[in-house]
Amino acid sequence: MLRVDVSKQLGEFSLQASFASEGRVTGLFGASGAGKTSLINMIAGLLRPDRGTIAIDTETLDDTADRVHVPAHRRRIGYVFQDARLFPHLDVRENLDYGRRMNRLADDAAQRARVTDLLDIGSLLDRRPGQLSGGERQRVALGRALLARPRLLLLDEPLGSLDEERKVEILPYLVRLRDEAGVPMVYVSHDAGEMRRLATQIVMLRRGRVIAFGGAEVLPAA
Amino acid sequence: MFDISPAEWTAIQLSLRVATVATLVATPLGIGVAWLLARRDFWGKPVVDALVYLPLVLPPVVTGYLLLLTFGRRGLVGAWLADHLGIVFAFRWTGAALACGIMSFPLLVRPIRLSIEAVDRRLEQAAGTLGASPWRVFLTITLPLALPGVLAGMVLGFAKAIGEFGATITFVSNIPGETQTISSAIYSLIQTPDGDTAALRLVVVSIVIALAALIASEWFARRALQRVHGN
């Protein structure tokens, strides 16, 4: 259960969003500039709300009235960025292992094998990020976030920087992730097709406000 | 011509020791200052910024004199250090290292600062979401990615420290075996009748050290860049 009730002023832009979602995949849907990325940056702890609360299940992550702000590195929330952001000085294996090391988790070979199989990245382990295609990079970024054992996974337009062919290549992995990985996700996109394919609940944003909440029926007709 | 005398060897060894100690002590401090200037906004930042670069524009004799006033036996800090910790800088080789460290600090900090500024902050954010505390983000992401700049800064700082003359001679004088570096030895020799040959020998030695430092820095920088870009 993810509960968000926040407001934030960013220059001229004001964001005021409130929703509670129980879905396996919560879709944040809206045109660019609607405030989707600011919203998930707040969920991730990278951006502080001016006012409001953010909570997962019974744990409060942000509560401006009580001056609660859990820093990003203690939230256990995975984040897959549009631009992958793999660490260029580490190879794929070290990138995948990074979250486990930082969270001081025990080495779990079975989990590692499951994630590398799920994403078909077993053959890339010795490469550097500079030697990967855009689609491969995004799959490694997904694996890296998953192996940190997050309780929630944020995906900010993970297909946004890919061409059509690559999108078709990645989308099935995301569906598998939703059905097999068992981690609730927040999926940000401006693409109604992706939303239909993946999201179980949809939060529709326009100019910093939530204008609709519900199932696939709130999406504009294809 | 190439028969280096024991006195000249002493000056060469002293120069190397002074510059090495100055660089090794100044580097962690320089990394910290560079990170603050590159990544943090705080009250008085322009003043810190100016102070770091001040030795670059101040006449070296002024810096040396200020050091003498501060760290001399009767200086504010110098007296306290001597009484409480038994550390003396005045007219010791450690004082030469202090002078060289301060004079080379701007050259050390600048490339480090630039390379930290060049590290993509979005990578640091990504590391945070993977559970890395700010300190571990610095150690595992920022510092390795800024390594070419750190090495460049160290080499520049070392080269400056080897060549430092004005502040050192003002602060710790020109005592053979204690504070007489290559530079001050050359200075003494060219004021001595028949000192030309010895001075020239030390000139050649300076050139060799400078060239070796430059070649080493090129090599390190290339290795570090390869590491960062991973090709």
Side-chain angles (χ1 to χ4, degrees):
Chain A
M1 178 80 158
L2 170 68
R3 274 168 299 147
V4 176
D5 180 7
V6 290
S7 62
K8 175 91 188 168
Q9 193 71 32
L10 294 154
E12 293 286 284
F13 180 74
S14 103
L15 177 68
Q16 247 174 59
S18 171
F19 66 89
S21 165
E22 193 112 45
R24 265 184 307 173
V25 178
T26 307
L28 284 185
F29 177 75
S32 62
K36 307 184 298 287
T37 298
S38 304
L39 195 53
I40 66 163
N41 278 343
M42 279 193 261
I43 299 173
L46 299 176
L47 193 64
R48 278 176 98 131
D50 293 338
R51 262 185 310 282
T53 56
I54 297 172
I56 296 180
D57 299 325
T58 55
E59 193 186 333
T60 304
L61 299 176
D62 268 296
D63 186 345
T64 51
D66 273 353
R67 301 197 174 187
V68 175
H69 174 74
V70 178
H73 67 276
R74 294 212 194 96
R75 293 199 173 197
R76 301 295 299 276
I77 294 179
Y79 198 151
V80 177
F81 302 87
Q82 181 172 350
D83 49 352
R85 303 193 192 179
L86 300 179
F87 304 129
H89 58 303
L90 304 178
D91 64 21
V92 168
R93 192 190 310 275
E94 292 162 334
N95 266 281
L96 289 172
D97 205 35
Y98 188 83
R100 184 192 65 76
R101 275 172 50 219
M102 292 303 130
N103 289 295
R104 299 190 167 87
L105 304 174
D107 188 25
D108 184 346
Q111 165 75 352
R112 198 169 50 227
R114 198 155 51 236
V115 170
T116 41
D117 284 350
L118 182 77
L119 296 164
D120 278 334
I121 48 180
S123 60
L124 309 175
L125 293 178
D126 293 318
R127 292 209 216 153
R128 290 296 189 93
Q131 302 164 309
L132 302 177
S133 72
E136 288 169 338
R137 240 174 264 167
Q138 213 48 276
R139 267 147 60 200
V140 173
L142 273 168
R144 184 179 68 172
L146 277 177
L147 285 168
R149 295 256 177 175
R151 52 182 165 179
L152 178 70
L153 188 58
L154 309 173
L155 301 111
D156 186 11
E157 309 236 10
L159 308 182
S161 61
L162 305 176
D163 55 38
E164 279 309 316
E165 219 170 306
R166 293 277 170 254
K167 283 183 190 173
V168 176
E169 173 197 321
I170 303 289
L171 208 49
Y173 290 107
L174 293 173
V175 174
R176 271 167 82 178
L177 212 65
R178 177 192 67 192
D179 298 337
E180 293 172 31
V183 182
M185 302 196 276
V186 174
Y187 189 88
V188 168
S189 178
H190 62 269
D191 184 313
E194 287 171 30
M195 282 291 157
R196 264 192 208 88
R197 202 58 206 280
L198 285 167
T200 52
Q201 274 182 320
I202 287 161
V203 177
M204 197 138 105
L205 283 173
R206 183 183 292 155
R207 295 195 201 98
R209 303 285 185 276
V210 177
I211 55 161
F213 179 78
E217 76 279 356
V218 304
L219 291 168
Chain B
M1 162 87 196
F2 284 104
D3 202 9
I4 296 174
S5 73
E8 290 157 33
W9 265 123
T10 307
I12 293 167
Q13 282 169 358
L14 189 74
S15 272
L16 289 172
R17 190 190 333 154
V18 163
T20 305
V21 168
T23 308
L24 290 182
V25 174
T27 297
L29 204 66
I31 292 173
V33 170
W35 182 82
L36 277 177
L37 291 174
R39 283 290 195 255
R40 283 278 178 269
D41 279 313
F42 51 90
W43 189 86
K45 181 171 170 175
V47 178
V48 174
D49 203 357
L51 273 178
V52 167
Y53 292 109
L54 200 57
L56 201 61
V57 285
L58 222 48
V61 65
V62 171
T63 306
Y65 186 53
L66 287 173
L67 280 171
L68 193 57
L69 291 179
T70 317
F71 289 97
R73 282 278 194 169
R74 302 214 184 99
L76 214 61
V77 183
W80 189 90
L81 282 175
D83 292 346
H84 292 84
L85 301 173
I87 298 173
V88 176
F89 286 110
F91 307 111
R92 299 276 174 85
W93 74 269
T94 47
L98 177 67
C100 289
I102 286 176
M103 291 302 288
S104 62
F105 203 61
L107 293 169
L108 175 88
V109 167
R110 196 175 152 70
I112 303 178
R113 176 185 182 170
L114 288 176
S115 65
I116 289 178
E117 278 170 351
V119 172
D120 192 341
R121 301 188 83 155
R122 295 172 309 164
L123 294 174
E124 299 173 343
Q125 283 189 334
T129 66
L130 289 162
S133 63
W135 175 239
R136 299 188 94 195
V137 170
F138 174 76
L139 284 183
T140 59
I141 306 296
T142 319
L143 193 56
L145 288 174
L147 201 59
V150 174
L151 294 171
M154 287 177 76
V155 169
L156 270 177
F158 182 82
K160 171 72 191 174
I162 280 269
E164 217 297 310
F165 174 67
T168 309
I169 204 166
T170 310
F171 179 33
V172 295
S173 183
N174 188 356
I175 307 162
E178 185 63 45
T179 64
Q180 188 176 70
T181 59
I182 297 178
S183 308
S184 35
I186 293 175
Y187 176 75
S188 295
L189 285 168
I190 53 184
Q191 302 204 324
T192 316
D194 308 322
D196 284 348
T197 321
L200 267 176
R201 270 199 296 272
L202 288 177
V203 165
V204 172
V205 170
S206 316
I207 294 172
V208 169
I209 292 174
L211 277 178
L214 282 175
I215 291 167
S217 81
E218 273 297 308
W219 187 78
F220 277 124
R222 208 172 310 130
R223 283 286 303 265
L225 274 176
Q226 278 170 355
R227 242 176 72 86
V228 169
H229 293 298
N231 295 314

